[in-house]
Amino acid sequence: DTGDFVIVVNCDKIVVTGNKMNDKFYYRHSGYPGGLRSVSLRDQMAQHPDRVIREAVWGMLPHNRLGRQQIRKLKIYRRADHPHKAQQPKPLEF
């Protein structure tokens, strides 16, 4: 953890390959019997595209104190505008 923040913009424009939009599901459980809920990638992208990226990044980080500190430094926005202009972020082209 170097202290740098990562700003992701235009998260609603991600593209996936194959049939992932229909075949990939996100699951959560309320803890009660029969409390399993599932949401397809297509529905999740329509409602909360930032959660798709956050969950993908969280899956790549260590699930301990360091990973929790790192995920807090990830900022995700739907559009190109964000409130971090004063910090003069540098774009990373790849």
Side-chain angles (χ1 to χ4, degrees):
D1 185 16
T2 61
D4 293 338
F5 283 73
V6 175
I7 301 170
V8 178
V9 294
N10 296 326
C11 70
D12 56 348
K13 296 181 181 179
I14 66 169
V15 177
V16 295
T17 59
N19 289 331
K20 286 190 190 87
M21 282 295 206
N22 299 322
D23 295 344
K24 183 171 179 60
F25 285 91
Y26 294 95
Y27 298 100
R28 66 183 190 276
H29 198 281
S30 66
Y32 289 96
L36 183 65
R37 303 287 184 249
S38 62
V39 178
S40 70
L41 177 59
R42 181 176 307 282
D43 295 338
Q44 190 78 327
M45 282 296 297
Q47 295 175 358
H48 304 285
D50 55 328
R51 292 182 189 174
V52 172
I53 294 178
R54 185 171 306 280
E55 188 164 332
V57 171
W58 176 244
M60 296 182 232
L61 293 176
H63 298 276
N64 54 22
R65 285 184 285 179
L66 176 63
R68 287 190 293 273
Q69 288 174 358
Q70 289 173 334
I71 198 74
R72 270 187 248 139
K73 294 180 178 164
L74 175 66
K75 306 297 179 184
I76 304 170
Y77 299 100
R78 279 189 167 191
R79 305 285 180 239
D81 55 336
H82 55 83
H84 306 289
K85 302 276 190 218
Q87 285 76 28
Q88 300 165 348
K90 299 176 188 132
L92 178 64
E93 298 295 329
F94 56 94

